[in-house]
Amino acid sequence: MRLPENIRSSRRNLIRMGVVVASAVLAKTGPAAADRFRREDNDWDDRREDHDGGRHKQHCFLKGTVIRTMQGDKKIEDLIVGDLLPTVFGGGAPIKSITRTRFGMAVRIARSALGPDVPNEDLYVSSPHALLIDGTLVAAGSLLNGTTITEPLNFDDFESFHVVLEQHNVIYANGAPCETLLGPGEQPCAPRPAYGWRRGLIKSHLRSAVAPWIDRRQPVDIIRDGLDARGTMLLREPASAP
């Protein structure tokens, strides 16, 4: 007998919560991974939100990401200060600065993970980097679902770029609406829940797992559950489907 969708979703969330916990335990057995998880443990204990100008500002796009400009699409490494970018809030805005950096680990958002052809190619961003979904800026690391939004194991260190406008806004990267870098003391352009790192993801999966009986989910949990259901559906479709 086929289980109801809400029960199947609960089971998936329990499994993924276990995977997050197990991966954290196993990763600590390796020196390099242990160092990464020690840093993330510190992130768990930092109660400041990412947008307060603190040290969590790794909101990066992977080299090769295609950014929409008023003159057409450009790879992020080819952008220059002054290029006009179409934005979600306020029309075209010039680039104030671009910073090249390196950042460990990435979140992969598969083609069509957010909607039909959104993004239009696989998109790689750092885990605190937020995407605009249903009017809310949600960190990519809060959306991990094990299907269409994942942490690729073959990424340890990648060349990436910050994009800064005069004001915080949302631009289009591989066709997906993504935030620009938020400056110190600057208010976000849309509601932006604090990123809870791995501990927050575990709690989120737990809330979703018990939702069929006690629904205490937060807006980010509901968004992730919807993308999880979409990812499961996409996996069942023929490979040629977008």
Side-chain angles (χ1 to χ4, degrees), residues 50-62:
D50 288 336
H51 56 68
D52 67 356
R55 62 190 176 86
H56 303 310
K57 295 173 63 176
Q58 302 94 342
H59 302 164
C60 315
F61 296 103
L62 180 69

Side-chain angles (χ1 to χ4, degrees), residues 111-218:
R111 180 188 174 204
S112 296
L114 308 181
D117 219 27
V118 180
N120 51 34
E121 296 289 345
D122 289 0
L123 174 66
Y124 293 85
V125 296
S126 54
S127 58
H129 200 132
L131 296 91
L132 185 68
I133 304 172
D134 295 341
T136 301
L137 288 166
V138 185
S142 298
L143 299 172
L144 296 172
N145 59 20
T147 53
T148 54
I149 304 177
T150 58
E151 286 183 314
L153 297 178
N154 59 335
F155 272 95
D156 291 322
D157 185 37
F158 65 88
E159 187 175 6
S160 56
F161 296 80
H162 302 306
V163 175
V164 179
L165 306 182
E166 287 293 340
Q167 293 182 320
H168 186 245
N169 215 315
V170 173
I171 61 175
Y172 295 93
N174 287 4
C178 301
E179 69 171 342
T180 58
L181 185 64
L182 189 64
E186 187 180 6
Q187 290 300 309
C189 61
R192 188 175 182 274
Y195 178 39
W197 300 88
R198 197 165 299 270
R199 182 177 295 172
L201 185 61
I202 292 170
K203 291 179 179 179
S204 177
H205 279 304
L206 180 59
R207 288 191 294 266
S208 291
V210 302
W213 302 276
I214 305 174
D215 195 347
R216 300 286 177 83
R217 290 178 299 169
Q218 298 176 4

